[in-house]
Amino acid sequence: MGGVRELAASFVVPGPCGVAVRDRLGHLTSQDEMVLRAVGEHQGALASRDLKARCADGLEHSADTWAARKRDLTPLSSSRIAGAIAKATHDQWALARRGQAAHIQTLEAGINMLRHRLSLPIGKRGTKRAAGSYRSKGEWFHKSRRLAALEARHAAVVADRQAGRVRVVRGGRRLLNTRHHLAEARLTEEQWRQRWEAERWFIAADGESGKRFGKETIRVTPHGEVSIRLPAPIAHLANTQHGRYVLTARIAFAHRGAEWADRIEANRAVAYRIHLDTGRGRWYLTASWQRPAVRTIPLEAACARGVIGVDTNADHFAAYRLDRHGNPIGDPRRFGFDLSGTAGHRDAQIRHALTQLIHWAVRVGVAAIGIEDLDFTTEKTREKHGRHKRFRQLISGIPTGRLKARLVSMAAEHGLSIVAVDPAYTSRWGAQHWQKPLTTP
């Protein structure tokens, strides 16, 4: 195994810093739904206007422009609503900038790979460390055309970034493109329109420590009563004093309800968001709050009682219990999942497999789970594995980012630490040292 690179040091992954819980707003009257739709449409229009102003500011954004945007929104809503809209707009613009930077990196990786392969003689075979050339003159020609297209696309994106321009859609670009593919999405135009409008509504409020029950704009009492401070233009719809509207629905968070109640009774900040699931015709309220940062334990302490080593595959987790020296104990375990179907189905499969893994770790008494710090960003490019479509689909189907986030948050609830390990050469090392003893009767 000569010529290998130096492995990155393993580390304990920091725990989650936020919590979000959701409950259904059931038994709403027609008046309640009418008021929620009016609030969502009005504040959604303000959010769209503010996003347009923020995108026009570009790189010239400053505290003064933020204050000016908030002043323009305040007469049409309230100071708190204007602040929430301005913050949400800024976060959306920043997210678009990060996505733009990631897109530039992807284009640069593809361009560099194309240039490398085009520079080689036609028919030259690749190695494990570097891709080879193209098989024919025709393929070489088509790839040279693709290189020119990627370079033009890269130049356009870089110009946008330098000018501070972003491409952002309130409601989501994917849903916007669905309008042109209604048959494939099994939607009628009316159904799509309802979903599009609901995604562009804005019924949200940030938390405020020190205020009654942690928030003024959207307030939820310990008994589950939900009330909304209406914007000035529709304040006439209020059914109680101070321009507030009280919903007939009652909230009772089944998950983390006690933790939520402790926060609002202490008047600590809790953020709320109300949204409509048009597919089910149900309204939901999501409560979220921040947790204080918890210092991670040292790596030696996490591994003192052994760990569960996890290998991530396309359709299952392969897990083995290891002692503090890294030697296996007992038999390996397999936790399968199916990543076909809808996004909700895939997410449920990942949660189920992780739940089984965590419960096993708790039963055997370890304090940590070791998992590969996977990142297939460079491997997913079609320029490197253009002919190996099934391989590209395989590595693209492994939800590395979602897997890490899910595992960290779920393990923290059971007092388990997550140790991230450099995945380099694990297959070669396993084939040399572990494959024979693990496959022998």
Side-chain angles (χ1 to χ4, degrees):
M1 294 183 65
V4 298
R5 68 169 174 83
E6 183 178 356
L7 299 182
S10 302
F11 62 94
V12 180
V13 181
C17 59
V19 174
V21 293
R22 188 179 73 170
D23 193 19
R24 181 185 174 186
L25 290 170
H27 308 292
L28 292 175
T29 65
S30 57
Q31 178 69 13
D32 292 340
E33 294 195 13
M34 185 272 292
V35 171
L36 289 176
R37 290 176 182 272
V39 172
E41 291 173 359
H42 176 74
Q43 296 183 171
L46 297 181
S48 298
R49 182 190 308 178
D50 187 61
L51 180 61
K52 179 181 179 181
R54 177 63 188 90
C55 292
D57 290 340
L59 300 178
E60 304 299 324
H61 172 72
S62 64
D64 294 334
T65 59
W66 183 308
R69 286 170 28 225
K70 185 177 177 180
R71 283 196 300 269
D72 294 340
L73 294 173
T74 299
L76 302 174
S77 53
S78 69
S79 177
R80 290 187 175 88
I81 296 175
I85 291 176
K87 182 180 181 300
T89 297
H90 182 75
D91 292 342
Q92 191 171 11
W93 188 88
L95 178 62
R97 285 282 287 183
R98 294 195 296 272
Q100 189 180 59
H103 184 45
I104 291 175
Q105 291 179 356
T106 302
L107 290 174
E108 290 175 347
I111 289 172
N112 293 335
M113 181 58 65
L114 282 171
R115 287 174 177 171
H116 165 72
R117 300 187 68 179
L118 289 172
S119 66
L120 300 175
I122 294 176
K124 183 176 181 180
R125 298 180 63 86
T127 64
K128 290 184 177 181
R129 298 182 179 275
S133 180
Y134 297 108
R135 292 179 294 184
S136 64
K137 291 184 178 180
E139 187 178 9
W140 190 97
F141 171 75
H142 287 297
K143 290 301 181 180
S144 65
R145 297 286 300 271
R146 176 163 175 78
L147 174 61
L150 290 185
E151 288 176 339
R153 196 181 305 170
H154 177 265
V157 178
V158 170
D160 283 345
R161 184 165 184 81
Q162 293 174 347
R165 290 189 296 268
V166 297
R167 315 293 178 177
V168 58
V169 179
R170 287 202 69 250
R173 185 175 303 174
R174 178 176 297 179
L175 182 58
L176 177 63
N177 292 333
T178 302
R179 174 63 182 84
H180 307 291
H181 307 279
L182 295 178
E184 291 84 346
R186 298 180 181 179
L187 293 174
T188 64
E189 183 176 351
E190 182 181 358
Q191 290 172 333
W192 177 88
R193 178 67 59 183
Q194 293 175 353
R195 185 176 172 186
W196 172 251
E197 292 175 351
E199 290 293 334
R200 290 168 61 87
W201 291 344
F202 186 91
I203 317 177
D206 298 327
E208 296 179 84
S209 292
K211 297 298 180 180
R212 188 182 181 192
F213 301 134
K215 189 59 197 167
E216 286 287 344
T217 307
I218 300 178
R219 179 183 295 164
V220 184
T221 68
H223 302 292
E225 181 184 87
V226 182
S227 63
I228 304 174
R229 178 71 178 271
L230 301 181
I234 57 175
H236 61 279
L237 298 176
N239 59 3
T240 186
Q241 57 183 352
H242 305 303
R244 304 191 70 86
Y245 186 90
V246 180
L247 301 176
T248 56
R250 291 294 182 268
I251 287 294
F253 295 110
H255 181 56
R256 299 185 187 277
E259 185 178 351
W260 165 79
D262 291 341
R263 289 191 66 88
I264 63 172
E265 289 176 354
N267 295 333
R268 300 174 64 187
V270 178
Y272 295 105
R273 174 177 175 263
I274 298 176
H275 72 280
L276 171 63
D277 186 339
T278 55
R280 298 180 177 182
R282 298 176 179 178
W283 291 85
Y284 292 93
L285 182 141
T286 302
S288 58
W289 59 89
Q290 290 184 340
R291 281 179 166 180
V294 179
R295 294 185 60 184
T296 57
I297 64 176
L299 180 61
E300 294 76 11
C303 301
R305 291 186 292 164
V307 301
I308 297 295
V310 180
D311 180 39
T312 305
N313 298 280
D315 60 350
H316 71 280
F317 297 129
Y320 219 143
R321 182 186 176 188
L322 310 173
D323 64 16
R324 62 189 185 92
H325 302 293
N327 298 314
I329 302 174
D331 296 325
R333 299 286 297 271
R334 178 189 175 104
F335 304 97
F337 49 81
D338 178 16
L339 296 182
S340 62
T342 64
H345 175 263
R346 295 194 300 268
D347 193 51
Q349 288 284 307
I350 290 293
R351 289 200 311 270
H352 180 63
L354 290 179
T355 300
Q356 292 180 308
L357 171 65
I358 290 173
H359 287 175
W360 180 49
V362 172
R363 285 197 305 270
V364 299
V366 299
I369 296 176
I371 191 167
E372 298 167 303
D373 191 12
L374 295 175
D375 184 7
F376 294 125
T377 303
T378 58
E379 301 296 329
K380 289 181 181 179
T381 174
R382 59 184 283 191
E383 319 308 337
K384 185 174 182 180
H385 303 286
R387 293 190 295 267
H388 305 286
K389 185 175 181 180
R390 294 194 64 179
F391 177 73
R392 288 191 286 116
Q393 291 175 341
L394 176 68
I395 59 179
S396 296
I398 299 178
T400 55
R402 179 172 297 179
L403 171 61
K404 285 188 241 182
R406 286 283 186 196
L407 180 57
V408 170
S409 60
M410 294 173 67
E413 299 304 314
H414 294 81
L416 297 173
S417 300
I418 302 300
V419 179
V421 183
D422 191 335
Y425 313 118
T426 51
S427 298
R428 295 171 65 182
W429 185 268
Q432 182 173 345
H433 295 280
W434 298 109
Q435 185 174 10
K436 184 176 180 179
L438 288 179
T439 55
T440 301

